[in-house]
Amino acid sequence: MTRPQSIWQVAKPEAEVCQVLAAKLGVSEIIARVLCNRGIDNEQEAQAFINCALEDTPDPFLLKDMDIAVEYILEAIEREEQVLVYGDYDVDGITSTTLLLDVLEALGCEPGFHIPDRLEEGYGLNSEALERAALKGYKLIITVDCGISAVKEVEYANSLGLKIIITDHHEPPSELPRAYAIINPKQQECKYPFKHLAGVGVSFKLAQGLLLRSPGVVEPDLENKLLDLVALGTIADIVPILGENRTLVKHGLHNLSSSHRAGLKALIEVSGLEDKYLSPGHVGFTLAPRINATGRIGDATVAVQLLRTNDALGAREMAIYLDGENRERQELEGEILAEALEMLEDFDPEEDKVLVLAREGWHPGVIGIVSSRLVDKFYRPVLMIALDGEEGKGSGRSISGFNLYEALSHCGHLLERFGGHKQAAGLAVKKEHLQALRDELNLYASGLDQGIYTPRLNIDAAVSLNQLNEQLINQIKELEPFGFGNPSPVLAVEQLQLVEAREVGKDRNHLKIRVKDDVQSVDGIGFSLVRLLQDIQRDKPVKVAFTPELNEYKGKVSVQLQLKDMQNFNQHEEYLPITRYYTKFTRSELEGLLGLAKGENQEVTDNLDPQFPLLAAANQVLLTGLPSLVVYPWLQIIDKALHASVELFKTADLRVQVNALDREDSKANIVCVSSEFFVQNVAKIREIGLGAIIIDTLQVLPEMTEISVPVLRSSASEQIVNNCAPSRERLLRLYQALRQQAGPAGELDPKLVTQLIANLGETREFIDSGLEIFRELHIIRQENHGENRINYFRAPQQKLNLFDSGLYTSAQQLLEEFTRLKGQCS
């Protein structure tokens, strides 16, 4: 068995809302359904989504430290200091480097740049490169797409007298580098409303800041000319094509198709894309791999030189070189993939929740791509590790619902270093820890909702073949650009006859089909989907999921299905709906909420119903007309991590319809809800599939300019906060109890938690929080055998700093937030 068959989920937005929206926009009701499925259910939002105006993007100076960075860079240019742009070897890092070099040069600087060698130096800042930069006379180093985790390296740079300005978009660790300035929308206290910029997007915001503070110095059109690089890097880095990213990509693709850069023109020509309007697919699957290839198996500086050259002949030579590097990369990839598949011949879908593969001789620059291929084939998170002696460098890719960065954080004590995102990560690990890493990741995975290991295919609408026409497809094009976070609309037709199905393509891995209903027939193509045939009984009706497109052949234009999935149709089968949550208010709830909405200092007791905060938010919208935020500021324990969070919801009437709201709203009501019921029902809420945006209250609250803060709380709230944000004194008592109970070899009884609760008179929440904090501080090591947790005690060699624990730090921040909110409402 390889990849499990997908479960189809069909969205069912309100029919009346879709009809009204279709009429106002003058589009098919299918298009209106697609928009509603993306949380866009009125004409104003739909027009903004389609138009993507550049002038509506946020002010770059909302980014934390932007003022400081811009002022220092401009002063450094005026002093004629030597400036080095320090990048990364992937497309995001290469485009970020190129963009910033372009702007610095336009401002009168003569900057240098450094792209680390993937094999020799690895990712990010390294001390040797910093030392070389200092010896060459550089005074200021600006990082792009890296640096947020480089605590030791920045400390070393400071000792060399270098000034470091970090621009990055990766997840910030608990301890940040002591850089002169850090620009990263994900860092705490950053008020920038859009958090999902790629590295090149952050570089672009820095460029905007520099240009805004240098009026009249550069050509007026420079900012617009940078957008081709922004689109290239943003698409390649697989960040959500929503919000500001969508706007930047849409305008950048236009520039990319008619780029002024000799290097891009040459690369487009060598890639066979000349005279085509470039799509995200062209960028992601054709251009980006060629640029990436140099960083994976060669020297990435060539890619920067290609993007910056004005020499057409030299550009073509470099483009041909990149194309050759890409072919070599494909050969390496094929060899490693074959070896990995051989290692997975005994794959067990019940046992193997995370695939961790390691071998000597694998090329570290290619294993990330192979990981993606394996995720596609097996639908499991995959870590590929290239061993070199006693240490390995790894690259991982994940599936929806499995946060790879959090999983690696859980196993951080086994790793030398790691970093990345929910869906992709890199790591270094000792060979001796490989089996422990494999075991611990699979144990972690077994504790998650097991439904995430079955792929889900979201269907925008079930249609019939006669609804597919050129007009509909042209209207779908108006919703471009598509990509991660904003996928191409997926439609479904059921109960069709499979007339033809055959393997096509050089490697016979593409699927060509022809299906028909009672009236007409249509062709379809499924790229790399020949595997679908193994589950199809050809004598039975089928259902197909697809994105419709136009195919032109010999001057004739026809509708074609770009297949996403095909399964046998079962007459009695029902699609699993993407659930919307509907309910009614009780009279007592309405009376209580009405008092809150009027601003009365009234307390509404929890009724232990997980729907209740949603009802509160809904009524706030109805009574005030403003968006409503439901805030769980005090406790949210998921996978043993504390988070202050905000969930955004929108409603249409007294029935609560839950959709995602754009988090850039500046006005909102805030309903602060004690969250013990949320914790108890978190699995149920996950099943509802709210699709809500979650952001940190510490980031959101300062941005709200007009807010009312009614608070729903129960008497248990404060006790829960104190248990999960324990004081130093309580932790000391727990530490001493551990010392007393530890055996001669430091072992502890599997019934430890029960004993500690009894001996200390404490709660389970406090004990669990304390043990997790001690684990993060490496005081204890936890191993799991069945349902028993055995903790091995290790006495610290030096005085501990509790704030070295990310959990303790987060918990203390929550305690402060709780105290502040409590004070507002007393």
Side-chain angles (χ1 to χ4, degrees), residues 66 99-100 103 202-212 226:
M66 179 64 79
L99 184 150
L100 201 52
V103 173
V202 180
S203 296
F204 179 70
K205 300 312 288 189
L206 176 57
Q208 280 187 320
L210 290 167
L211 296 176
L212 283 170
L226 300 172

Side-chain angles (χ1 to χ4, degrees), residues 90-110:
D90 67 1
V91 180
D92 192 17
I94 289 165
T95 52
S96 300
T97 302
T98 305
L99 184 150
L100 201 52
L101 289 172
D102 283 0
V103 173
L104 291 173
E105 277 192 0
L107 291 171
C109 182
E110 295 183 5

Side-chain angles (χ1 to χ4, degrees), residues 178-469:
R178 290 198 312 116
Y180 187 80
I182 299 177
I183 301 174
N184 182 334
K186 293 178 181 174
Q187 64 181 314
Q188 283 193 3
E189 300 176 11
C190 181
K191 297 182 180 181
Y192 198 74
F194 187 72
K195 305 294 182 183
H196 304 293
L197 291 169
V200 72
V202 180
S203 296
F204 179 70
K205 300 312 288 189
L206 176 57
Q208 280 187 320
L210 290 167
L211 296 176
L212 283 170
R213 294 289 168 86
S214 309
V217 176
V218 302
E219 58 176 305
D221 199 35
L222 177 59
E223 182 179 316
N224 183 63
K225 286 183 175 180
L226 300 172
L227 291 173
D228 55 357
L229 296 173
V230 180
L232 186 56
T234 299
I235 293 168
D237 213 50
I238 319 180
V239 291
I241 309 299
L242 294 170
E244 186 172 6
N245 283 341
R246 175 178 163 77
T247 299
L248 297 175
V249 167
K250 183 166 186 174
H251 290 271
L253 282 172
H254 176 77
N255 289 10
L256 194 58
S257 296
S258 56
S259 180
H260 66 285
R261 300 175 191 276
L264 277 176
K265 287 180 180 178
L267 187 64
I268 289 167
E269 182 183 339
V270 166
S271 303
L273 299 176
E274 196 175 15
D275 299 326
K276 291 188 178 181
Y277 183 81
L278 299 181
S279 69
H282 291 133
V283 173
F285 297 109
T286 305
L287 296 181
R290 284 165 170 78
I291 296 173
N292 251 333
T294 57
R296 292 187 182 281
I297 61 175
D299 182 3
T301 59
V302 177
V304 177
Q305 291 164 357
L306 172 77
L307 295 178
R308 285 176 50 76
T309 186
N310 293 317
D311 176 8
L313 183 59
R316 181 164 180 80
E317 290 176 355
M318 285 188 280
I320 291 171
Y321 169 75
L322 262 63
D323 190 57
E325 291 282 280
N326 188 53
R327 285 196 298 273
E328 184 179 343
R329 185 270 304 168
Q330 289 172 327
E331 291 173 6
L332 277 172
E333 177 192 324
E335 293 169 5
I336 295 173
L337 178 61
E339 292 174 0
L341 290 174
E342 186 180 341
M343 296 167 72
L344 290 169
E345 284 182 352
D346 297 325
F347 167 71
D348 183 344
E350 296 302 318
E351 295 294 327
D352 301 322
K353 302 302 183 186
V354 182
L355 305 180
V356 181
L357 306 177
R359 178 166 286 185
E360 291 276 353
W362 281 351
H363 196 295
V366 178
I367 54 177
I369 305 174
V370 179
S371 295
S372 296
R373 300 270 190 262
L374 294 175
V375 170
D376 240 15
K377 186 171 181 63
F378 294 96
Y379 203 72
R380 290 291 186 270
V382 176
L383 287 176
M384 298 279 290
I385 299 167
L387 293 175
D388 182 9
E390 294 306 308
E391 186 169 313
K393 292 180 181 178
S395 186
R397 301 293 184 269
S398 195
I399 59 176
S400 178
F402 189 97
N403 188 319
L404 190 55
Y405 181 82
E406 285 189 5
L408 291 177
S409 299
H410 179 77
C411 305
H413 59 289
L414 296 171
L415 303 173
E416 299 303 297
R417 56 190 178 276
F418 69 94
H421 309 282
K422 293 179 181 178
Q423 297 299 111
L427 61 95
V429 61
K430 295 286 188 186
K431 184 177 181 180
E432 63 186 281
H433 293 151
L434 274 176
Q435 189 57 48
L437 176 64
R438 186 179 289 112
D439 292 343
E440 194 151 337
L441 279 172
N442 274 281
L443 187 62
Y444 173 88
S446 66
L448 301 179
D449 176 7
Q450 297 303 288
I452 68 173
Y453 304 110
T454 301
R456 306 293 173 104
L457 180 62
N458 290 338
I459 310 290
D460 283 290
V463 299
S464 57
L465 288 183
N466 63 11
Q467 290 178 281
L468 306 178
N469 53 47

